[in-house]
Amino acid sequence: MPQDSPPRAPRKTPPRTAPRTAPQSPAPVRPHKQPRLWTWLLLPGTLWMSGFLVASLLLVATLALGTTDPLGNPRFGLNFDNLAALADAAYSTVLLRSLGYALITCLVCLAVAYPVAYVIALHGGRFKNLLIAAIVVPFFANYLVRMYGWSVVLSDDGPLLKALRAIGIADGDTKILQTGAGVIAGLVYGFVVFMIIPLYAAMERMDTSLIEAGRDLYGGPLRTFLFVTVPATRQGAAAGCVLVFLPAMGDFVSAQLMGGPDQIMIGNLIQDKFFQGQNWPLGSALTMLLMAVLFVGMLGYLRRTRKDEAEAAR
């Protein structure tokens, strides 16, 4: 009988190798066109706003050197009497009062906005957007209407003073309107939202691990807030102060509705010169004085922002 032949080992096939291809030269890098696109998109709005701003400033600046005729109509000219009149002690007092009211408003808005922004940003959870909307949406109402409503709340027979008298904190002679405190209360109510939003955005970007590390280093929550949270959100606080200071400095509605003759601000003087005193050149000179003060404040903010960016880049 024939013997069975041993099984043959399977034939090994050599592994297939990928076909060699000639090395390709790298594709040429095309220039990035996105910045140019954004530049073209921003150009129309920038030209529109800049054109009106420059035209209005030139008009006010030239009118500040003008005069008025016997009928009160403004006439362009080259008269420096209006600029010299700004050295009057009455105008200096009103300017300093406006500056003081605006600075106090910034401080009060910081004290009010920091806890609100802190709670919403770090403890708001899924209700963050709802809480921000609850703060922002009421401010869509007309500013004058809101100030009228606030003046009713702060009036002598308003609900606030009634509640304070009921618990014995205030008496019958206590007043809020026709005082500097009433003007500041109106300014805070009108512009506090401009402080909350930048602080909220800054705290949203802040690394929460810094707060946990600060608790280990400083212990109490107050020291952690002062030495960790405040320095980490100082850019948001600076932006909020600018957004509050600029409109508060030139505001006239709060002083008109909640102040008295001793609480008028520079915005009230400008309004009076344009609409009641029929002295547009002097009103224009006061406007240029206000613009100069605001420009100095804005320049200081820009320099501080540039310094912070340079320190962060190191």
Side-chain angles (χ1 to χ4, degrees):
M1 294 180 62
Q3 296 181 354
D4 295 336
S5 58
R8 295 181 179 179
R11 182 179 298 177
K12 295 182 180 181
T13 59
R16 296 182 179 180
T17 57
R20 295 183 179 179
T21 56
Q24 298 179 357
S25 58
V29 179
R30 296 182 179 180
H32 195 54
K33 295 184 178 181
Q34 188 175 1
R36 181 177 297 179
L37 175 62
W38 284 114
T39 301
W40 285 108
L41 291 177
L42 291 174
L43 187 60
T46 303
L47 292 178
W48 177 272
M49 297 298 296
S50 301
F52 277 101
L53 176 64
V54 172
S56 60
L57 286 178
L58 289 177
L59 180 62
V60 172
T62 53
L63 190 58
L65 301 177
T67 57
T68 56
D69 61 14
L71 298 178
N73 298 317
R75 293 289 183 266
F76 291 99
L78 193 61
N79 188 358
F80 293 92
D81 292 341
N82 297 316
L83 300 179
L86 298 179
D88 194 329
Y91 297 141
S92 302
T93 301
V94 174
L95 179 63
L96 292 177
R97 182 188 300 132
S98 303
L99 184 61
Y101 284 170
L103 292 176
I104 295 175
T105 301
C106 288
L107 295 177
V108 177
C109 285
L110 274 175
V112 173
Y114 251 116
V116 175
Y118 184 89
V119 171
I120 295 177
L122 302 182
H123 302 285
R126 60 179 181 176
F127 299 105
K128 290 181 181 180
N129 296 333
L130 181 61
L131 293 174
I132 288 295
I135 293 174
V136 174
V137 169
F139 285 84
F140 290 161
N142 184 272
Y143 179 72
L144 187 60
V145 173
R146 290 191 287 113
M147 287 297 105
Y148 269 115
W150 192 236
S151 65
V152 173
V153 174
L154 300 180
S155 63
D156 297 342
D157 297 328
L160 180 59
L161 280 180
K162 285 184 178 180
L164 295 178
R165 294 188 188 107
I167 60 179
I169 297 179
D171 54 19
D173 296 331
T174 304
K175 297 182 62 176
I176 298 178
L177 295 184
Q178 310 296 320
T179 62
V183 177
I184 294 173
L187 293 174
V188 171
Y189 171 70
F191 304 116
V192 68
V193 68
F194 298 142
M195 186 71 75
I196 295 176
I197 299 302
L199 284 176
Y200 168 77
M203 291 184 183
E204 272 282 293
R205 297 190 301 266
M206 184 179 63
D207 187 3
T208 55
S209 61
L210 295 175
I211 299 178
E212 298 175 0
R215 291 172 182 171
D216 297 334
L217 292 174
Y218 300 105
L222 180 59
R223 289 175 59 86
T224 302
F225 177 79
L226 294 177
F227 291 100
V228 177
T229 305
V230 172
T233 57
R234 62 182 180 181
Q235 290 187 353
C241 288
V242 171
L243 294 176
V244 171
F245 177 81
L246 295 182
M249 184 70 185
D251 187 79
F252 64 93
V253 177
S254 296
Q256 184 173 351
L257 296 180
M258 284 162 277
D262 296 332
Q263 287 81 37
I264 61 173
M265 300 175 64
I266 189 170
N268 301 101
L269 280 181
I270 295 173
Q271 182 197 29
D272 178 73
K273 299 303 179 183
F274 272 99
F275 295 103
Q276 297 179 7
Q278 291 297 317
N279 194 344
W280 287 28
L282 184 55
S284 300
L286 290 171
T287 303
M288 296 305 298
L289 176 62
L290 176 61
M291 291 294 295
V293 174
L294 297 181
F295 177 76
V296 171
M298 192 66 184
L299 184 62
Y301 166 72
L302 294 176
R303 292 186 62 182
R304 181 62 187 178
T305 303
R306 184 178 301 177
K307 183 178 179 180
D308 290 341
E309 291 178 352
E311 292 178 355
R314 292 177 182 175

